[in-house]
Structure formats: structure tokens, C-alpha cells
Amino acid sequence: MPPPWLLFALSGAVAFARPPALGREACARPEAAVACTALTVSGQALAEDFDSGAALGLVQKALRYGAAGRGALRTGDAAPPPAGGATSRPLAIYVYDLPSETVVDGKTVVYRDTCHWTPDWKPDRCWERTTPGSEEEMSRIFGPLVEWSAADGNRSKLKVRGINQFATGSIFLASLQRHPRRTANPEEADLFFVPAYNDNPHPLQSECASAEQLVKDLPHLNNQTADRHFWLTPNIGWGNNTCHEFNAKLDDSSLAMQLLARTKKLALEDRISAPMSLRSDAAFIDFAIGDEYLPPVAENLHSIPYPTVLSGMDAIDVQAWQDAVVASTRTMLASGMWGMHGLASTIEMRRVLTKQCQHSSRCSFKDLAYDPETGNTEAVMQEMLQSTFCLQPTGDSISRKGLVDSIVAGCIPVLFNPLQAKLWPWHIGPWEDVAVVMEVVPGDVMGALAQVPAQELARLRGNMARLLERLVYSPPGAPRPNDAMDVTLRGLLGLLDER
């Protein structure tokens, strides 16, 4: 008797159906190849008397891995890495020399608050006053080194960074200041980087530079160069995550704001992955935070991924990590790691997934109470190395750092919101090439995941391995081709080539 084939009802409940039998004639039809391969992988003989159209329809209703129309049970050679930008031409980057803070007409203006804002409960991240290239600088940009011996005793110690998830501002500035393609001549620059960002997720608007002041301090910003200027927020870009000037509008009455609106912006989320429709989530009502917690609204905004635990590591340590990923014994089908917080829809989703994981011997769950010393880095990465799938529900917003950390750990991310599959297109490409995408939380997630064929697992893992370098920011001054910074810069250049 063949094993049951898991199907989802529209309600999200789980139903089981006998798998279709496909004849050789039916399987010869190209459109039925996915269904036939899926059943062949299950080890069942193919019968002669089943209509291919009915079989294909049944399989298409099965677990909805991947984007609509592409099917998670697709087989064949692993897809190549995404382009990550429409051009590979050389580039020159101009980096403005803005102070972290200054005084204008007796008022403190903060361009970067890394040294200005350090709460007592956070480690010191003021790297601009350290010796370039020193471990002190590296630990303040990328976090402290975390070393441990993986479960397999014959491996050497693994090294990663306990990196802050909102470190992209410091990473971009330090890296671009020492980039081999940096130019001091604005006339030859393809891109202009504006080093103005806030580590504080709720910056004091009174300390932000006005649009007029900012334009004054950017002498090469004009109507001809505006779309070649870019800046970022290290955060998700929601509500008051940024200074108001970052959200400048093209139809603003201020000419300075109109000019800033034309510049390119980077954030962990953008208007596609976190659209304004999210304001309907009950959290906006429950917490009475209104416009202060609205999704991103900045013009020309593009999403870039969280920095992974391998960011800041040299090539030798990255290779050692890759070797450990390949050698890992995946003893758990799945793992879930999160705290009980987030949007109203998120909290309910996490409750359901927590219960399912805790009641399954095939799933390992960890309640992530934040550890300010390590950020849970070792515990999280060990779990990921031992799991085939990593459950990734939404959090305080659509994205979470675990999405990219699971990819570099070879743990197939499981997404539960279609908006997650719109994140970071330059770096990830189609999410169905590296992840399982479920539009609802089924009644038996573990049963669903256990049905994924071995060929599909191999395809997803192969694609994740190809993506690893694209999700790692190299140490400042030592960029590697196709790393996360390179992919971002080529993405920005690609936008210019599309004009």
C-alpha cells in the first residue's frame, strides 16, 4: 500500500488521499512529469490505469512548495544563482565624508548614531574610534567571535560572529570606505554613498538633519546625479525607524525633499515585501501606535538581507563552515526558534507552530529569550546544523534574520507568509528555489515536511549552497567577488542600466 499523500484543505486543515497511480503513457506527457517524479521518488510502482490530467491536478493541490505555478516537487538540475543585478560592468564609488554628528546653529545634528546612541543593555558598537582592522573594530562592527566544536568530534572548531541583526549601516560604511573601487573624484563615480543612518530604531527627529541641511552637505547631489546616490537604514524601515527625510516624497513642496526622494534607499524590507496593507493587522489597533508603526513608505526603496553569522569572517573560516554544513548529520526533521512576540497574526501563527513542534519527536523547539552576551548565536546555529528544515514564521514584521542564517546553515527555511517570498530579490532570487513556502499553517507541518521527496531536498540544498557567498559581507578592505556587498552594488548599477 503506498503511503498517504498529504493534501491541504482551504481551511488549513489536513486531509489525506491515496496517491495517484500514473501509467507510462501518462508520464510521457511533459506537464505530468512533476507528478510522476514525485511518486517515483516515493518508491511506489506506477500503475497503467490512471489519467495523467487527474494525477497532475491532485499533485498540484498537494503541498504548495514554492510560488504558484512552479510546484515544489519540481525536479531537474538545480537552478543557477540569481543575477543579483543587471550588470557586471566595473564601477566607481564615491563615499561622502560626513561626520557622525555636528553642531549647526547651536543644534546637534546626528548623521550616524552608532557612537551617539548606546543603551546600557547593548554592547559598545562605536567602531569609528577604533584601530582599522583590529579585532576591537571587527567585534564592534560584526559582533564577537563565537567558536565551538560541532557535534561531529572530528571537525575543527567552527567560527562565526554573534552579529547584531541591524549592523548593515556600519558594515556598508566601513566596507565602502576601504573598497578598492572607491574614488575621490566625483566626476568618475557611478554611485555615491551617503553615510547617514540610525542604529536607534526610533531616532530622535529633532537630531536628524533637515532636508535642506542634508542637501547642503552633499555637494554632488543634483538633478542629474540624484538617482546615483544611495543611503540606507539598518532597520526594517517601518514607521519612525528612520529620519523623516529618508521618507521624502516626490510631490513634497520642498525642493530639497524632492531631490532626496529621487535617491536610492536600502532597508531590510521594502514596499513590496511589507506593503501598506499590513496596517490592517490587529497590532496597529491593539497597541494604538498608528502611523508610528506603518510599513515602509520611502521612495526608490530596495530590500537587502540581514547580515549572516558568517559576515566579517575570512575565506578560510567560511570554507570551514561550508565543509561543516556538508558533513552535518541532520538528526531532526525540523526546528523552531523564536519568542512569543510580533504582529497579532504572527503571535497566533507562532502559538500554533510552537504547539506542533513541541508535540513532535521530529521537531526541536527553543524559546529564544535574548542573551545580550551571545545573542543566542551558538545555540541557534547548532540547531540549524542539525535540522533539515527551519520553521520561519513572521516576527515583529515580515522578515527575520533566521531566514538568511538558515540558508547558510543548509537548513531549508519554511515560510508561512507569501510576502516573505518577496524579500531580497537581488540576493535570493526566487524563494521556491531555496525554501518551502506554505501560504497557511497546516494542521500537521511535520507530516507535510516529511513528504518532501529526496530529489527536492537535494535541489533546495544545492541552491542554498550556491547562495551562501551572496549572503556574506566580507571583512572591510577584503571584498570577495559575488559577496553580499558586491551583489548590492551590482543591483544598484542594474537599476541605472534599466533607465
Side-chain angles (χ1 to χ4, degrees), residues 284-454:
F284 295 115
I285 301 173
D286 292 347
F287 299 119
I289 48 183
D291 289 345
E292 291 185 359
Y293 201 58
L294 288 180
V297 296
E299 305 275 3
N300 296 308
L301 181 64
H302 303 273
S303 66
I304 57 173
Y306 292 85
T308 66
V309 295
L310 293 180
S311 292
M313 305 304 298
D314 62 31
I316 294 176
D317 289 323
V318 172
Q319 184 59 57
W321 176 267
Q322 289 177 295
D323 294 342
V325 169
V326 172
S328 280
T329 302
R330 308 277 171 174
T331 57
M332 298 303 298
L333 174 65
S335 62
M337 293 169 281
W338 51 75
M340 204 56 65
H341 60 85
L343 298 172
S345 55
T346 289
I347 293 176
E348 179 58 27
M349 180 191 303
R350 290 187 172 194
R351 283 176 180 154
V352 171
L353 289 172
T354 298
K355 183 177 180 179
Q356 289 196 34
C357 188
Q358 290 178 330
H359 285 75
S360 172
S361 61
R362 297 178 292 180
C363 186
S364 173
F365 177 75
K366 285 189 178 295
D367 186 350
L368 292 185
Y370 181 72
D371 182 344
E373 294 298 321
T374 67
N376 301 304
T377 299
E378 180 178 346
V380 168
M381 300 315 294
Q382 282 183 330
E383 285 292 325
M384 289 182 172
L385 284 173
Q386 296 169 13
S387 304
T388 297
F389 297 99
C390 285
L391 309 181
Q392 299 292 347
T394 54
D396 292 331
S397 63
I398 293 302
S399 65
R400 63 190 308 240
K401 184 173 179 288
L403 287 166
V404 286
D405 280 337
S406 63
I407 291 175
V408 301
C411 185
I412 300 167
V414 183
L415 282 55
F416 296 95
N417 188 313
L419 290 175
Q420 291 175 301
K422 297 179 182 294
L423 290 162
W424 318 316
W426 291 341
H427 298 75
I428 302 293
W431 273 92
E432 64 268 25
D433 284 338
V434 294
V436 169
V437 184
M438 298 182 178
E439 294 187 5
V440 295
V441 179
D444 182 9
V445 173
M446 302 314 131
L449 296 177
Q451 294 288 329
V452 180

Side-chain angles (χ1 to χ4, degrees), residues 173-255:
L173 179 54
S175 298
L176 294 179
Q177 282 179 332
R178 301 167 214 178
H179 201 282
R181 298 298 300 170
R182 182 182 182 182
T183 179
N185 181 3
E187 296 297 323
E188 65 181 24
D190 295 292
L191 298 171
F192 296 78
F193 178 58
V194 180
Y197 55 84
N198 302 95
D199 284 327
N200 184 346
H202 305 292
L204 294 175
Q205 298 298 327
S206 62
E207 294 183 343
C208 294
S210 67
E212 289 71 22
Q213 182 63 45
L214 191 54
V215 169
K216 179 180 177 181
D217 288 342
L218 304 175
H220 311 300
L221 173 62
N222 53 52
N223 287 326
Q224 287 69 46
T225 65
D227 62 350
R228 290 191 281 139
H229 281 66
F230 73 99
W231 44 328
L232 59 81
T233 173
N235 296 287
I236 58 176
W238 283 47
N240 61 356
N241 269 172
T242 67
C243 290
H244 294 326
E245 290 68 25
F246 191 83
N247 298 322
K249 296 298 181 184
L250 291 168
D251 59 357
D252 196 282
S253 59
S254 162
L255 293 179

Side-chain angles (χ1 to χ4, degrees), residues 78-95:
T87 183
S88 59
R89 63 184 173 88
L91 78 155
I93 310 160
Y94 184 89
V95 180

Side-chain angles (χ1 to χ4, degrees), residues 45-214:
L46 301 181
E48 300 283 348
D49 57 353
F50 199 93
D51 176 71
S52 65
L56 183 61
L58 185 59
V59 172
Q60 286 177 335
K61 291 178 182 177
L63 290 176
R64 299 186 64 180
Y65 309 120
R70 297 194 60 170
L73 303 180
R74 179 186 58 192
T75 60
D77 295 335
T87 183
S88 59
R89 63 184 173 88
L91 78 155
I93 310 160
Y94 184 89
V95 180
Y96 281 98
D97 186 22
L98 292 179
S100 59
E101 58 184 271
T102 188
V103 177
V104 177
D105 297 330
K107 171 194 170 185
T108 298
V109 174
V110 179
Y111 281 117
R112 297 181 301 282
D113 61 5
T114 309
C115 297
H116 181 80
W117 178 79
T118 303
D120 293 339
W121 55 272
K122 277 183 171 279
D124 191 350
R125 293 171 55 197
C126 181
W127 62 273
E128 293 186 58
R129 300 170 187 170
T130 61
T131 302
S134 65
E135 175 54 33
E136 181 184 20
E137 183 198 49
M138 290 292 289
S139 65
R140 293 189 180 191
I141 296 174
F142 295 100
L145 269 176
V146 178
E147 302 181 54
W148 79 93
S149 296
D152 189 342
N154 63 4
R155 296 186 205 142
S156 59
K157 280 194 172 183
L158 298 178
K159 296 180 182 179
V160 296
R161 290 277 179 182
I163 193 166
N164 183 286
Q165 62 180 337
F166 304 128
T168 51
S170 296
I171 292 173
F172 267 72
L173 179 54
S175 298
L176 294 179
Q177 282 179 332
R178 301 167 214 178
H179 201 282
R181 298 298 300 170
R182 182 182 182 182
T183 179
N185 181 3
E187 296 297 323
E188 65 181 24
D190 295 292
L191 298 171
F192 296 78
F193 178 58
V194 180
Y197 55 84
N198 302 95
D199 284 327
N200 184 346
H202 305 292
L204 294 175
Q205 298 298 327
S206 62
E207 294 183 343
C208 294
S210 67
E212 289 71 22
Q213 182 63 45
L214 191 54

